[in-house]
């Protein structure tokens, strides 16, 4: 591995006596010990974080994704020993770090909070959770004064899931503002998936080792499939492709467990929307496994559920391969970290999509969950409006100083307010909302 990918923006850091960790072990420690990582314990994953102590939160989801990520790299090392020796560090710390940190930028209340912040930031650069993740780890976290966790360049590249500015990804048609927050239609304000113009210095530093051709290709944009959809990026790095697969498996398979155990979904819908589709796939293992899958997942004997979940996850992980993107006619990367991606072949990719679609349509789109998202959406917009009305008065001291510095330097001060709200947990945002708008609320807690 080239030393350039091990570099950090801040080169002078405290040297710990007898510290024998590799760079990615240090990165993982910085993520694990960060305040933004701890806050994931009270941020919504699929179910609301306050609906019960069984449900997965963003924190437990990230831990599961990290475990799956290390499982993927173990499989790839077995399948491609020589290639992986050249591509990967000796330990799994790199992939685990990227998986642990991948959701750090997501705001309170899931996609409801993301839509709300994107709407409130519509004239100030927008908001998107993955872009906020890069901003937190490379600028906001307090490990260093100006460079966040000061992670290695390769770790930051792995967290750059959509390597293009969201300003360049918006669909053509501009949407009008709403007269009242309660009238905001979430589907109109989902952000394009990308990075913030405010963080162009971070982006340029991460991509600095790439030659001009690789950089231009890596940041290529593909047109939307339908009218009024946002544009999308085409490529991601090898490490990011592993993280994305781990994230999708954790979401599609593990998050389904929450919905089944709590009876959020019913057996009949699962049979029709999952089993029938699985049986139509030309894969003997899937066909045989599907015959007992419903009985196991909906059983009161939890060991049967765990056995079924484990079987599905193993089926997907063991199928993942390394693909050479340069085999495509229009791709020619010279940087190995861009040339190779982890991919899931058919029919395994179809199987994962069946589960992801089921979770989306029969869990996330359930009325009670959408109402909870809507409520969180209103809280975030109200908080943003209030805080931006008089930031020096209403923001906590550190955020108020950052806001004033941005104003003095003619920078985007609204981004400071978005940073503050995005960092809140569901519970903290709710309490702050009550303290500002409910005269009978208990305001006896410390704002940080």
């Amino acid at each position: 591995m080239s030393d350039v990918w091990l570099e950090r923006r801040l080169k002078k850091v405290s040297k710990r006596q007898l510290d024998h960790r590799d760079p990615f072990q240090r990165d993982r420690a910085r993520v694990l010990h960060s305040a933004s990582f701890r806050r994931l314990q009270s941020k919504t994953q699929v179910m609301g974080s306050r609906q019960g102590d069984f449900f997965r939160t963003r924190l437990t989801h990230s831990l599961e994704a990290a475990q799956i990520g290390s499982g993927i790299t173990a499989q790839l090392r077995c399948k491609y020993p020589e290639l992986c020796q050249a591509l990967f560090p000796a330990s799994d710390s790199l992939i685990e770090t990227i998986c642990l940190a991948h959701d750090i930028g997501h705001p309170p209340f899931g996609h409801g909070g993301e839509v709300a912040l994107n709407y409130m930031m519509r004239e100030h650069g927008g908001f998107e959770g993955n872009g906020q993740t890069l901003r937190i780890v490379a600028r906001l976290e307090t490990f260093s004064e100006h460079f966040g966790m000061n992670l290695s360049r390769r770790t930051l590249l792995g967290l750059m899931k959509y390597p293009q500015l969201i300003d360049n990804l918006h669909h053509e048609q501009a949407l009008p503002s709403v007269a009242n927050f309660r009238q905001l239609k979430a589907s109109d304000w989902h952000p394009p998936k990308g990075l913030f113009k405010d963080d162009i210095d971070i982006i340029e530093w991460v991509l600095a080792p790439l030659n001009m051709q690789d950089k231009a290709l890596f940041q290529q944009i593909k047109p939307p499939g339908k009218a009024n959809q946002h544009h999308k990026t085409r490529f991601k790095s090898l490490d990011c492709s592993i993280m994305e697969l781990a994230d999708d498996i954790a979401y599609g398979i593990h998050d389904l467990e929450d919905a089944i155990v709590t009876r959020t979904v019913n057996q009949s819908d699962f049979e029709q929307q999952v089993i029938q589709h699985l049986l139509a796939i030309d894969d003997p293992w899937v066909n045989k496994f599907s015959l007992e899958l419903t009985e196991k997942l909906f059983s009161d004997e939890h060991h049967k559920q765990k056995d079924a979940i484990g079987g599905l996850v193993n089926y997907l992980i063991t199928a993942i391969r390394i693909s050479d993107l340069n085999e495509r006619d229009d791709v020619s990367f010279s940087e190995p970290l861009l040339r190779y991606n982890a991919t899931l072949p058919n029919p395994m990719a179809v199987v994962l999509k069946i589960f992801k679609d089921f979770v989306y349509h029969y869990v996330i789109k359930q009325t009670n969950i959408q109402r909870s998202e809507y409520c969180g959406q209103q809280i975030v917009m109200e908080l943003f409006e209030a805080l931006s009305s008089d930031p020096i008065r209403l923001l906590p001291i550190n955020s108020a100083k950052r806001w004033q510095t941005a104003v003095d330097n003619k920078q985007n001060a609204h981004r400071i307010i978005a940073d503050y709200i995005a960092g809140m947990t569901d519970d903290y945002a709710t309490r702050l909302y009550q303290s500002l708008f409910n005269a009978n609320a208990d305001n006896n807690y410390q704002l940080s």
Side-chain angles (χ1 to χ4, degrees), residues 241-255:
S241 70
I242 295 174
M243 176 268 283
E244 186 172 49
L245 285 170
D247 184 25
D248 284 350
I249 293 171
Y251 164 77
I253 307 300
H254 284 297
D255 289 356

Side-chain angles (χ1 to χ4, degrees), residues 270-320:
F270 185 80
E271 278 282 341
Q272 293 177 21
Q273 302 301 324
V274 176
I275 300 301
Q276 294 306 313
H277 292 294
L278 292 178
L279 291 173
I281 293 175
D282 184 18
D283 184 316
W285 185 91
V286 172
N287 298 154
K288 181 179 179 181
F289 192 78
S290 299
L291 295 177
E292 296 182 344
L293 184 57
T294 303
E295 185 273 326
K296 286 185 175 181
L297 287 177
F298 287 85
S299 171
D300 290 330
E301 299 179 74
H302 295 310
H303 69 277
K304 291 184 177 181
Q305 294 172 343
K306 291 297 183 184
D307 180 62
I309 294 291
L312 286 168
V313 172
N314 181 73
Y315 167 76
L316 296 170
I317 289 178
T318 54
I320 292 171

Side-chain angles (χ1 to χ4, degrees), residues 397-417:
I397 294 173
N398 288 337
S399 294
K401 287 180 179 178
R402 290 182 58 232
W403 183 88
Q404 189 61 60
T405 299
V407 170
D408 293 342
N409 294 330
K410 294 183 170 51
Q411 296 171 341
N412 184 8
H414 288 83
R415 182 66 63 194
I416 309 304
I417 299 172

Side-chain angles (χ1 to χ4, degrees), residues 135-384:
R135 183 169 172 81
I136 288 172
V137 300
R139 192 185 303 283
L140 301 180
E141 262 292 343
T142 56
F143 178 85
S144 68
E145 186 176 3
H146 301 295
F147 303 115
M149 299 179 193
N150 196 34
L151 302 180
S152 62
R153 181 184 265 118
R154 181 165 174 177
T155 298
L156 294 178
L157 180 69
L159 286 168
M160 198 177 283
K161 196 171 179 181
Y162 308 102
Q164 186 55 266
L165 300 181
I166 62 176
D167 305 60
N168 300 328
L169 298 168
H170 276 287
H171 55 63
E172 305 292 331
Q173 184 178 347
L175 295 171
S177 303
V178 295
N180 186 294
F181 290 158
R182 295 184 181 181
Q183 301 301 311
L184 186 75
K185 188 176 180 181
S187 59
D188 289 342
W189 289 95
H190 284 294
K193 295 183 180 297
L195 307 170
F196 305 143
K197 187 177 181 180
D198 298 314
D199 298 321
I200 192 69
D201 59 318
I202 299 170
I203 301 165
E204 291 296 329
W205 183 83
V206 174
L207 302 185
L210 304 179
N211 62 41
M212 291 181 64
Q213 179 182 323
D214 275 5
K215 183 179 176 182
L217 184 59
F218 185 51
Q219 294 189 290
Q220 260 190 14
I221 297 170
K222 58 184 176 183
K226 299 178 182 178
N228 298 328
Q229 285 186 339
H230 297 303
H231 299 267
K232 297 180 179 179
T233 55
R234 288 187 65 193
F235 299 107
K236 49 184 58 68
S237 71
L238 169 64
D239 304 324
C240 187
S241 70
I242 295 174
M243 176 268 283
E244 186 172 49
L245 285 170
D247 184 25
D248 284 350
I249 293 171
Y251 164 77
I253 307 300
H254 284 297
D255 289 356
L256 174 64
E257 184 182 7
D258 283 1
I260 290 175
V261 171
T262 57
R263 308 302 182 191
T264 302
V265 296
N266 63 62
Q267 196 164 328
S268 174
D269 287 338
F270 185 80
E271 278 282 341
Q272 293 177 21
Q273 302 301 324
V274 176
I275 300 301
Q276 294 306 313
H277 292 294
L278 292 178
L279 291 173
I281 293 175
D282 184 18
D283 184 316
W285 185 91
V286 172
N287 298 154
K288 181 179 179 181
F289 192 78
S290 299
L291 295 177
E292 296 182 344
L293 184 57
T294 303
E295 185 273 326
K296 286 185 175 181
L297 287 177
F298 287 85
S299 171
D300 290 330
E301 299 179 74
H302 295 310
H303 69 277
K304 291 184 177 181
Q305 294 172 343
K306 291 297 183 184
D307 180 62
I309 294 291
L312 286 168
V313 172
N314 181 73
Y315 167 76
L316 296 170
I317 289 178
T318 54
I320 292 171
R321 63 192 181 191
I322 293 180
S323 297
D324 185 349
L325 302 186
N326 285 2
E327 293 177 355
R328 303 179 189 176
D329 293 336
D330 62 340
V331 179
S332 181
F333 282 118
S334 60
E335 170 54 58
L337 295 181
L338 305 185
R339 175 179 174 177
Y340 297 102
N341 267 196
T343 59
L344 190 62
N346 285 336
M348 296 78 182
V350 177
V351 170
L352 181 55
K353 186 176 186 303
I354 289 170
F355 281 97
K356 286 175 60 182
D357 287 349
F358 182 74
V359 171
Y360 179 76
H361 291 291
Y362 286 83
V363 182
I364 290 176
K365 285 299 182 181
Q366 275 204 4
T367 302
N368 63 325
I369 290 179
Q370 287 302 304
R371 285 177 175 173
S372 179
E373 266 197 19
Y374 175 84
C375 178
Q377 180 181 308
Q378 301 306 307
I379 289 173
V380 168
M381 288 189 289
E382 294 278 6
L383 286 177
F384 194 103

